[in-house]
Amino acid sequence: MASGFFALLDDIGALMDDVVVMSKVTTKKTAGILGDDLAVNAEKASGFMSSRELPVLWAITKGSFINKLIILPVAFLLSAFLPPAIKIILVLGGVYLAFEGAEKIYEFFVPHAHPSDEKKVSASLPKEAVIDIEKKKVKSAIVTDFILSVEIVIIALGTVVEEDLLFQILVVSIVAIIATVGVYGIVALLVRMDDFGLWLVNKNQDKKGFLYTLGNLLVKALPWVIKSLSIIGTIALLLVSGGIFIHNIDFLHHILESWPSLLRDFIVGLGVGLATLLIYKGVMFVIKSLKK
């Protein structure tokens, strides 16, 4: 009986070793989406009054956990009873990611009107109006998180879809937790970076020394850090989506076969994204024309 117990412990240890290894592999495959998730949420959680940034971020984080609790059981049920659906959802999600990446590039190069920035006026509004703005931004961030979370879970599940259901549950759940805690933990540090920098500046009244210089650097660097994350996230979206298409659509396996895989993934992702963006713009143009 004792030998059976130790054999069971050995099996559990071996299983957890495999889970850790696959979790690392899967996390790398979802890194592109995590980068975009980080950029999006850093942008949405910054710009409020200092005292409200962390509460807003915490509200988004709680929404993200609820998203995962909804998505994970559905994904595991599909994997158990309808495995082909995983591949279909993965490709459709890839189309969305490619579209989002192409749209960001389009918005960068093509001048267009931007909606008024609520964050700039929120400090001068009544408390009720500020709370209303916060609720809208939190809701928007949670919806975006839901879409990105679906992709993270499906990509993670696609990596271990051939494994046993228990193995899938362990690996994908670990990745989902890492995605939420990691992304929103880093966002929390980012949105407080300028406040910490300002604290260092105010602490050095003589306006000299390393700490004063560091504080100034942190204050000035935050907008550039968020902008850089946005650019990196856009590139990552196209790379991830291109990889999804090449590995899951048979006739794309042989496209640009001699090219480096990163460049091939980027070109395929960008091509699908631009095609989807053109279709979207065409549909919106028709709808607007019909409404006139």
Side-chain angles (χ1 to χ4, degrees):
M1 187 172 180
S3 62
F5 175 73
F6 286 116
L8 176 61
L9 287 180
D10 187 57
D11 290 342
I12 292 172
L15 174 63
M16 293 312 296
D17 284 342
D18 292 341
V19 166
V20 170
V21 171
M22 286 307 299
S23 296
K24 288 180 180 178
V25 172
T26 306
T27 303
K28 286 180 182 178
K29 290 196 174 186
T30 59
I33 302 174
L34 294 179
D36 187 64
D37 202 3
L38 178 60
V40 169
N41 285 292
E43 196 172 347
K44 287 182 181 292
S46 62
F48 291 98
M49 290 179 291
S50 180
S51 61
R52 296 301 304 160
E53 284 178 339
L54 291 183
V56 167
L57 183 58
W58 175 237
I60 298 171
T61 306
K62 288 189 290 184
S64 179
F65 274 115
I66 293 172
N67 285 342
K68 304 294 193 303
L69 289 175
I70 296 169
I71 294 164
L72 285 170
V74 175
F76 295 139
L77 286 171
L78 286 175
S79 179
F81 298 107
L82 197 61
I86 299 298
K87 187 173 181 178
I88 294 170
I89 295 171
L90 189 60
V91 172
L92 290 175
V95 172
Y96 170 78
L97 294 177
F99 167 78
E100 188 180 13
E103 187 179 38
K104 287 183 178 182
I105 292 173
Y106 169 82
E107 288 178 351
F108 179 79
F109 286 105
V110 179
H112 61 289
H114 290 276
S116 58
D117 190 3
E118 291 175 325
K119 293 187 287 187
K120 291 180 180 178
V121 298
S122 60
S124 62
L125 292 174
K127 184 178 179 181
E128 294 78 10
V130 173
I131 292 173
D132 186 54
I133 289 172
E134 286 183 3
K135 286 180 178 178
K136 287 178 180 177
K137 290 183 71 66
V138 168
K139 184 178 179 181
S140 171
I142 291 173
V143 170
T144 302
D145 177 272
F146 184 87
I147 296 168
L148 293 172
S149 294
V150 168
E151 273 306 290
I152 289 168
V153 169
I154 294 299
I155 289 174
L157 193 55
T159 307
V160 293
V161 72
E162 303 297 331
E163 304 291 340
D164 295 335
L165 184 60
L166 175 61
F167 192 87
Q168 293 177 19
I169 291 172
L170 290 172
V171 170
V172 178
S173 298
I174 288 171
V175 171
I177 292 169
I178 290 172
T180 303
V181 175
V183 166
Y184 291 101
I186 294 172
V187 170
L189 292 175
L190 285 176
V191 299
R192 303 302 290 182
M193 190 172 84
D194 55 344
D195 292 312
F196 179 63
L198 187 60
W199 179 79
L200 289 176
V201 169
N202 292 333
K203 191 175 176 65
N204 291 268
Q205 298 296 331
D206 55 356
K207 297 184 179 182
K208 294 179 181 179
F210 172 74
L211 292 180
Y212 178 80
T213 304
L214 177 62
N216 261 320
L217 179 64
L218 290 175
V219 172
K220 293 176 181 177
L222 180 60
W224 290 100
V225 170
I226 293 177
K227 195 173 291 185
S228 298
L229 283 172
S230 181
I231 293 170
I232 293 168
T234 299
I235 295 170
L237 284 177
L238 296 173
L239 288 172
V240 169
S241 59
I244 289 172
F245 302 137
I246 286 171
H247 293 105
N248 291 279
I249 301 175
D250 292 335
F251 75 88
L252 288 177
H253 282 316
H254 307 294
I255 287 184
L256 305 175
E257 210 166 7
S258 62
W259 288 40
S261 59
L262 280 177
L263 182 59
R264 182 175 63 158
D265 290 352
F266 181 82
I267 289 173
V268 171
L270 181 60
V272 174
L274 290 174
T276 311
L277 181 62
L278 283 173
I279 293 170
Y280 171 77
K281 292 290 184 183
V283 171
M284 294 305 295
F285 177 78
V286 171
I287 292 173
K288 287 181 180 178
S289 299
L290 293 174
K291 285 182 178 179
K292 290 181 180 178

